[in-house]
Amino acid sequence: MSLSIAERLKQLRETYPPVAPATAQRLAEAGAWLVDIREADEIAQGTPVGAHPMGRGFLEMRLEQAGAAAEDTVLLLCASGSRSLLAADQLHQLGYHDVRSVAGGFDGWKDAGLAFETPAMLDADDRARYARQLTLPEIGEAGQTRLRDAKVLLIGAGGLGSPAAMYLAAAGVGRITIVDHDTVDRSNLHRQIIHREATIGQSKARSAMATLAALNPSVEVVPVESRVSEDNAADLVSGQDLVVDGSDNFTARYAINDACVAQRVALVYGAVERFSGQVAVFPAGGQPCYRCLFAEAPPAGSAPTCAEAGVIGAVPGLVGTLQALEAIKLLVGMPETLTARLLTLDAARQRWRTLTLNANPGCPVCAGA
Ligand SMILES: [Zn+2]
């Protein structure tokens, strides 16, 4: 015969004696995982300071992704201490040895006079807009909040920058600074899909801003109508969480790389030539960097421009989209990115490969950085 919920909870209370909120706080300060398993709308009303808001639905996956080990102490908190007992039992069966429920839940926490905070959660519009990506355990409310709080510098509003900017804005990256000195030309439109017939002759940075504002008005777009060089790269990178490089020249790439290494900011690199493309992530403050991969610029004129070589828009479209994807993965904290790897694609034959990138111990920029 099956037990009623009340009987089951009584049993679980005996198996997993709940800990008092003050004890839970002490354990959390000593390194235990204090996990708030309530729904997002409940957490929006307040959550213990230092708690990990994970919800119940994807608790097991989120706990594992966050790095909790089987031998760690896990303290589960719900509203009143019932749901946390049921969840404790499930985690215990999954192999977590020391799982406990916080007695009285968040009500008990508040009654004990312990510190709580009201997190900056998503509003109803955000929940509707990002519903399909919020469902992914890799994103969720926490990841979406990270995207909203993120500042990304995008170099170039061209063939790579167009799709990158649109996917970053659509995904809800909070602030996107777009640097481009050029103006929109009719010959750009077959690949630089952020621009419109109506913006021919206008600044690319401003044309891109208009498209992004129409796509997602909650994103702040900062247009910078400048050519990237050694003189302004450090200022551009300053204060950014991540840089996506969609530039088409070595001067800009080296200047941005050097500023990213100096300021410990991750760099998502991309390039195309005819049907070939490359994407890589150079880690924040680490090695390798872009100069480890390309120590010196090729002689002037040996690397053809799109105007000289020709290009189909879908090829930079692929590469720019991959750059946006890697940027989003980095921002939400997904573990497997193209960090220190180079993805090369031959779109004419559809051959994709990834190579491991090694730091150059003699690199003039990142060695010893
Ligand atoms: Zn280097």
Side-chain angles (χ1 to χ4, degrees):
M1 204 183 96
S2 65
L3 294 171
S4 72
I5 288 280
E7 287 166 327
R8 179 73 183 133
L9 288 172
K10 183 168 178 285
Q11 216 176 47
L12 290 172
R13 221 168 268 123
E14 283 157 15
T15 317
Y16 310 104
V19 292
T23 310
Q25 188 186 45
R26 273 200 303 280
L27 289 168
E29 283 167 1
W33 294 84
L34 176 60
V35 180
D36 193 334
I37 64 160
R38 293 174 302 151
E39 303 291 327
D41 57 335
E42 298 177 281
I43 292 175
Q45 307 300 314
T47 186
V49 171
H52 302 270
M54 293 192 187
R56 177 69 196 89
F58 295 101
L59 176 62
E60 294 84 352
M61 276 178 272
R62 288 189 180 144
L63 204 50
E64 187 179 304
Q65 282 168 0
E71 59 276 13
D72 291 351
T73 296
V74 180
L75 308 160
L76 301 178
L77 177 131
C78 65
S80 64
S82 300
R83 280 177 283 169
S84 53
L85 275 172
L86 297 165
D89 192 39
Q90 285 186 336
L91 286 185
H92 194 257
Q93 286 172 23
L94 270 179
Y96 289 92
H97 305 307
D98 186 15
V99 191
R100 304 186 223 176
S101 162
V102 179
F106 187 55
D107 290 342
W109 186 276
K110 281 191 295 187
D111 290 346
L114 301 175
F116 67 95
E117 61 193 349
T118 309
M121 304 294 285
L122 305 173
D123 62 23
D125 283 354
D126 289 339
R127 291 221 179 83
R129 178 181 290 271
Y130 307 118
R132 298 298 178 271
Q133 66 192 45
L134 283 167
T135 307
L136 292 168
E138 290 84 356
I139 307 269
E141 188 109 1
Q144 193 65 50
T145 308
R146 277 184 213 135
L147 292 177
R148 183 197 60 194
D149 296 340
K151 301 176 190 73
V152 171
L153 174 68
L154 176 63
I155 308 299
L160 302 174
S162 288
M166 291 171 80
Y167 278 116
L168 291 173
V173 169
R175 193 180 81 185
I176 305 174
T177 302
I178 301 181
V179 190
D180 203 308
H181 71 279
D182 209 355
T183 54
V184 180
D185 184 84
R186 181 163 280 119
S187 68
N188 300 145
L189 297 181
H190 82 125
R191 67 188 185 286
Q192 301 181 15
I193 55 167
I194 204 166
H195 308 301
R196 300 285 175 260
E197 179 79 15
T199 60
I200 289 173
Q202 293 180 18
S203 134
K204 284 190 180 176
R206 294 201 167 270
S207 165
M209 180 172 78
T211 301
L212 298 184
L215 174 62
N216 188 348
S218 64
V219 171
E220 181 192 356
V221 181
V222 182
V224 179
E225 297 167 68
S226 305
R227 190 185 289 273
V228 175
S229 70
E230 278 176 27
D231 298 330
N232 61 3
D235 283 344
L236 288 167
V237 171
S238 176
Q240 305 287 347
D241 296 313
L242 186 89
V243 177
V244 175
D245 186 3
S247 63
D248 60 357
N249 67 86
F250 287 93
T251 305
R253 283 187 198 138
Y254 285 125
I256 287 297
N257 174 72
D258 298 356
C260 284
V261 172
Q263 298 183 41
R264 311 182 81 79
V265 174
L267 173 63
V268 184
Y269 153 77
V272 291
E273 188 187 315
R274 294 195 175 99
F275 288 92
S276 304
Q278 296 186 332
V279 188
V281 175
F282 302 108
Q287 295 174 301
C289 78
Y290 177 73
R291 279 192 199 263
C292 296
L293 183 59
F294 298 105
E296 284 174 18
S302 69
T305 65
C306 284
E308 294 154 358
V311 66
I312 290 175
V315 178
L318 274 172
V319 171
T321 301
L322 288 167
Q323 289 181 275
L325 178 61
E326 291 305 301
I328 290 166
K329 286 162 61 185
L330 288 163
L331 291 170
V332 304
M334 285 177 64
E336 288 197 42
T337 62
L338 282 173
T339 296
R341 290 193 294 156
L342 178 72
L343 170 69
T344 65
L345 60 102
D346 168 356
R349 295 172 189 81
Q350 287 304 11
R351 289 189 183 135
W352 297 46
R353 294 193 299 162
T354 54
L355 318 164
T356 300
L357 296 178
N358 295 311
N360 170 9
C363 176
V365 173
C366 74

